[in-house]
Amino acid sequence: MIGAAFGFLPTDSFNVVALIAIFVLISLGLHFTFGLLNLVNLMHGEFLLLGAYTAFEVQARTGSVLLGMLVAPVVGAVIGVAVERGVLRVLYERPLDSLLATFGLSVIIRQLVQLLYSANPRRVENPIGGSFLVLGLNVPWWRLVVVLVTIALVALVSWLLTRTPFGLRARATVRNPVLAAAMGIKVGPTRAALFAIGAGVTALAGALLAPLNTLDPQYGLLFLVNAFLVVILGGQGSLRGLVIAAVVLGGSLSVMQFTISSVVAQIVVIVIAVVAVRLRPVLVRALAERRER
């Protein structure tokens, strides 16, 4: 359904690459909140929604869509800190409660957006319209920007989590918070920072994708299932796995939409994800046994 919503038709020459980038982009923030912190974050779609409407609001007030895209991650991060510190910090060991809390907050946010903007569709202007030809392929400018920003964000997240002192503290907190606290790491602020980064990245994704689709209070729900599928299939906490899963699911959906309807393609993608999740432990064990030999 994502491909259809964003106008990915069989004639789109840049379809596969762009759709894979969208799958990575919508899942990257969830890598922090669900993949690392293990919070079943049903607010994920609403952070996309907040990012998109932030871009719309800034555009309406200043006439600058790009400024809105810069403001969106800040808004997402601030709201993320408020939610984590105000509600979720006591729910890390209570997955069912975190699921219910984030579901309730998601409903509240959607209703507030509808109260402020109504249910009427809204549009965010495309900052860079048109397209260009590369080796006979028609490449829309803004979709290329989305692809390049996605690559940059993946590289930045990888560097942050593996090459910085914060990343070391974050990984220690995620793996063993009790031991991390005993070593002097401030577990609470570290968790809050991880959640804020995830929320900020998600809001940025919502703003970047806003010009490709009309906005309404249900906008975030368009992405929720696919984002969770990518993170679960890739393995919680695995950035490399997330990218691979996005390639598999996004590529499959894009290719299938050339021959079947988008709804059927989405169903097939979900089936592929379920089967892959079931088979992944078996494949991991088989690879481990092969290496031991």
Side-chain angles (χ1 to χ4, degrees):
M1 294 171 69
I2 284 183
F6 286 106
F8 288 110
L9 303 175
T11 55
D12 286 340
S13 55
F14 204 50
N15 185 20
V16 177
V17 175
L19 196 55
I20 288 172
I22 288 176
F23 268 67
V24 174
L25 192 60
I26 65 174
S27 309
L28 200 54
L30 199 61
H31 173 68
F32 289 88
T33 58
F34 177 58
L36 294 177
L37 293 175
N38 200 31
L39 283 169
V40 184
N41 180 23
L42 295 184
M43 283 185 67
H44 181 70
E46 278 55 56
F47 281 114
L48 287 157
L49 175 70
L50 289 170
Y53 271 91
T54 297
F56 172 79
E57 182 66 24
V58 173
Q59 169 196 283
R61 291 180 178 274
T62 68
S64 175
V65 182
L66 293 177
L67 179 60
M69 292 178 182
L70 293 176
V71 174
V74 177
V75 171
V78 170
I79 295 176
V81 169
V83 168
E84 197 279 340
R85 293 285 84 188
V87 180
L88 299 179
R89 64 176 177 173
V90 298
L91 302 179
Y92 283 100
E93 307 303 326
R94 296 154 58 185
L96 180 59
D97 291 342
S98 69
L99 184 151
L100 293 175
T102 54
F103 173 75
L105 289 169
S106 70
V107 173
I108 291 171
I109 290 174
R110 286 200 303 275
Q111 292 304 312
L112 285 174
V113 170
Q114 182 163 332
L115 182 64
L116 292 172
Y117 295 97
S118 80
N120 296 329
R122 308 283 178 164
R123 293 290 305 182
V124 173
E125 294 179 7
N126 192 329
I128 309 175
S131 60
F132 63 99
L133 292 175
V134 175
L135 301 176
L137 299 178
N138 185 51
V139 180
W141 277 107
W142 188 246
R143 291 184 189 176
L144 176 63
V145 170
V146 170
V147 171
L148 295 177
V149 171
T150 300
I151 294 171
L153 281 174
V154 170
L156 181 61
V157 168
S158 178
W159 171 80
L160 177 67
L161 294 177
T162 62
R163 303 292 181 182
T164 66
F166 171 78
L168 181 62
R169 294 194 300 271
R171 284 179 284 132
T173 298
V174 168
R175 290 177 183 175
N176 194 327
V178 176
L179 182 58
M183 296 176 63
I185 296 174
K186 296 180 179 179
V187 172
T190 301
R191 282 173 165 170
L194 284 172
F195 195 92
I197 293 170
V201 169
T202 304
L204 175 59
L208 286 169
L209 297 177
L212 301 178
N213 194 31
T214 55
L215 304 184
D216 61 53
Q218 309 303 316
Y219 175 78
L221 297 178
L222 177 68
F223 309 97
L224 188 62
V225 172
N226 290 286
F228 270 98
L229 285 177
V230 169
V231 175
I232 292 171
L233 178 58
Q236 284 181 254
S238 172
L239 184 59
R240 180 184 299 176
L242 181 149
V243 174
I244 294 172
V247 170
V248 172
L249 296 181
S252 300
L253 180 61
S254 178
V255 170
M256 283 186 291
Q257 286 182 161
F258 279 74
T259 55
I260 59 179
S261 73
S262 61
V263 175
V264 175
Q266 183 71 58
I267 294 172
V268 174
V269 164
I270 293 174
V271 172
I272 290 173
V274 171
V275 172
V277 168
R278 296 286 294 178
L279 292 178
R280 184 159 52 84
V282 177
L283 295 175
V284 169
R285 284 197 299 269
L287 288 173
E289 292 173 357
R290 183 175 180 181
R291 289 172 183 170
E292 290 176 358
R293 294 174 186 172

